[in-house]
Amino acid sequence: MYSKKDLLDSLEVINENLNTLIHNQMIIYGEIKKLLEAQAVEEKNDKFIMR
């Protein structure tokens, strides 16, 4: 049987890991957004050049 303190410590670690995952996901989202915006600008430039 686990002690209450061990369970609370485990929950704290799980919470920290979830916060880290959320933070990393936000960073990845931001990078993908920048890439998509850059791609849209590039496509717009390509269309302008093709005219």
Side-chain angles (χ1 to χ4, degrees):
M1 190 83 184
Y2 296 103
S3 72
K4 190 173 184 178
K5 183 182 181 333
D6 289 340
L7 292 173
L8 288 173
D9 288 346
S10 294
L11 279 176
E12 187 175 340
V13 170
I14 290 168
N15 188 48
E16 289 171 7
N17 289 342
L18 283 173
N19 285 336
T20 301
L21 286 170
I22 291 167
H23 177 74
N24 291 344
Q25 187 177 22
M26 288 168 57
I27 291 170
I28 291 168
Y29 171 79
E31 292 302 312
I32 290 171
K33 185 176 177 187
K34 281 191 244 175
L35 288 170
L36 289 173
E37 287 170 351
Q39 182 180 12
V41 167
E42 192 172 300
E43 287 174 359
K44 198 178 228 181
N45 288 341
D46 289 346
K47 284 181 184 174
F48 180 76
I49 291 169
M50 298 282 272
R51 287 183 183 180

